[in-house]
Amino acid sequence: METERELLEAIRGGERAALHRLYDRYSDYAMAIGLRYIPERDEVRDVLQDSFVRIFTSISQFNYNGEGSLKSWIGRIVSNRAVDYLREHQHFMTVDDIPDEPDEPEEPDIGDIPPDTLTEMIGRLPTNYRTVFNLYVFEQWPHRKIAQLMGIKESTSSSIFFRARRMLAKQIREYLKSQET
């Protein structure tokens, strides 16, 4: 399999088939990222189309920093486009729209949960909860940056993350309990 460096050199060398190889190599990865933010596949396809247009048009400015940096760059573009899409379509709600969940003593173990099931659980979180959760956990953004992106206070981002984690923990406990029977 060709390395990211080789793929980039082919693209920058004008090899049109290299753009197809880039898409083939990273489209499933991009779809998985998009689905973390937007559970509807048709909506994610729109985001991916916009993302790959942006990737193809700006790849000449991409600075290669070693194997994996191209994949990370693509992931950031997809997650940013997904958040932009959610904001443009006003999918966010205020924190007060969803009641608090009661405190549970400890976080459940996710080791026995299939990744697809966990992704589905994250997809059931309210949009702004899912977005903050994904940006904080998977993209490893600080709450300050999340707050700027979403147009909220840093403390609100932190509060949303805390509530999202509790809601997800509740879903995990329910799933684990259903698997015991």
Side-chain angles (χ1 to χ4, degrees):
M1 182 157 144
E2 95 188 300
T3 66
E4 285 184 348
R5 180 184 297 276
E6 292 166 340
L7 182 58
L8 280 168
E9 287 172 1
I11 291 168
R12 290 178 175 160
E15 185 183 326
R16 295 190 55 81
L19 291 173
H20 292 285
R21 292 196 306 274
L22 177 106
Y23 179 82
D24 289 343
R25 183 170 176 175
Y26 294 110
S27 61
D28 288 344
Y29 170 72
M31 176 63 83
I33 289 174
L35 287 170
R36 284 199 315 239
Y37 293 90
I38 305 166
E40 298 297 324
R41 283 190 177 272
D42 289 339
E43 292 179 34
V44 173
R45 285 187 186 99
D46 292 342
V47 168
L48 292 186
Q49 182 176 353
D50 290 347
S51 297
F52 275 99
V53 167
R54 182 164 290 165
I55 290 163
F56 293 155
T57 58
S58 60
I59 198 152
S60 62
Q61 288 102 29
F62 170 71
N63 292 320
Y64 180 74
N65 293 320
E67 197 66 25
S69 62
L70 177 61
K71 183 177 183 178
S72 294
W73 180 70
I74 289 170
R76 281 191 307 277
I77 289 174
V78 173
S79 63
N80 286 337
R81 279 303 306 136
V83 171
D84 290 345
Y85 177 89
L86 292 171
R87 190 175 34 246
E88 289 165 10
H89 292 85
Q90 300 177 352
H91 285 292
F92 295 127
M93 58 179 49
T94 65
V95 177
D96 297 330
D97 290 342
I98 299 173
D100 281 331
E101 296 288 329
D103 286 334
E104 292 291 336
E106 62 184 54
E107 299 272 327
D109 180 21
I110 63 168
D112 294 332
I113 299 177
D116 289 348
T117 302
L118 189 57
T119 299
E120 182 182 311
M121 289 176 186
I122 293 169
R124 288 194 300 255
L125 293 172
T127 303
N128 54 335
Y129 284 37
R130 182 176 59 246
T131 302
V132 169
F133 183 85
N134 283 319
L135 290 171
Y136 188 79
V137 172
F138 296 108
E139 308 303 328
Q140 298 181 340
W141 284 19
H143 286 296
R144 175 188 38 75
K145 187 174 178 182
I146 296 168
Q148 289 172 344
L149 177 70
M150 294 179 65
I152 57 177
K153 294 178 185 175
E154 187 173 341
S155 60
T156 302
S157 175
S158 183
S159 176
I160 290 172
F161 173 73
F162 179 73
R163 289 180 180 191
R165 217 173 73 195
R166 287 196 322 202
M167 290 176 79
L168 186 58
K170 180 180 177 187
Q171 289 184 61
I172 291 168
R173 278 190 288 281
E174 289 170 358
Y175 173 83
L176 292 172
K177 190 174 183 178
S178 74
Q179 297 302 304
E180 291 174 359
T181 56

